[in-house]
Amino acid sequence: MKYAVRFYTKTGNTKKLADALAAELGVEALPISEGLNEKVDVLFLGNSYYAFSIDPEVRAFVAGLSKENVGKIVNFGSAAMLNSTYKKVKAEADKVGIPMDEREFHCKGEFKGLHKGRPNEEDLKAIVEFAKEFK
């Protein structure tokens, strides 16, 4: 299996998750601005809610993907208030014909003092265990 980890973050929380996930998979976590130029079986895509939706950069990144290069997308992220971005990301992935794995990882993320210190060591251990499901 060939993996890639891409993420979008404004606070650094999702990057922490991406780095832990990528280390377990033996790949480098890169921001979505780096694009995806290789063929992968599984693309782990980290993102969060911003103003009650996924960021336009995440939408554009997914729109630029090809089903010939990406076997499936696995969603992960953190957020202070809202939970999973799965449905929003899936709607974009459906437009380009890339399937989404039903499994995803989500945890609380610190924002303006709410959920201070999250993602924490426990969250990072949990995403490593999540990554092992795909090996």
Side-chain angles (χ1 to χ4, degrees):
M1 283 282 219
K2 185 160 183 182
Y3 308 102
V5 177
R6 296 294 186 274
F7 65 91
Y8 179 83
T9 187
K10 289 185 179 183
T11 63
N13 293 334
T14 302
K15 182 183 184 328
K16 289 178 190 175
L17 295 173
D19 287 342
L21 177 70
E24 177 61 30
L25 297 171
V27 299
E28 184 179 4
L30 296 171
I32 61 173
S33 60
E34 296 286 325
L36 182 67
N37 301 319
E38 72 266 23
K39 184 174 181 165
V40 298
D41 299 301
V42 183
L43 169 63
F44 290 85
L45 179 58
N47 61 95
S48 186
Y49 274 104
Y50 300 102
F52 302 101
S53 190
I54 58 175
D55 194 272
E57 287 186 47
V58 175
R59 269 194 225 98
F61 174 76
V62 175
L65 296 173
S66 163
K67 65 182 178 182
E68 284 75 32
N69 287 346
V70 179
K72 67 179 169 182
I73 296 172
V74 176
N75 197 52
F76 74 94
S78 67
M81 296 171 59
L82 298 173
N83 288 324
S84 169
T85 57
Y86 183 90
K87 288 181 182 178
K88 300 275 186 187
V89 174
K90 185 176 184 322
E92 299 305 315
D94 286 348
K95 292 176 186 176
V96 292
I98 300 173
M100 293 276 296
D101 195 289
E102 291 179 7
R103 297 169 288 179
E104 71 169 335
F105 182 88
H106 184 271
C107 70
K108 296 293 183 194
E110 183 176 342
F111 182 71
K112 296 186 177 182
L114 192 61
H115 308 299
K116 193 131 182 87
R118 302 285 301 272
N120 57 26
E121 286 303 314
E122 191 174 299
D123 298 321
L124 298 179
K125 287 178 185 172
I127 199 165
V128 165
E129 289 305 310
F130 176 72
K132 290 177 182 177
E133 294 178 25
F134 295 88
K135 291 173 95 177

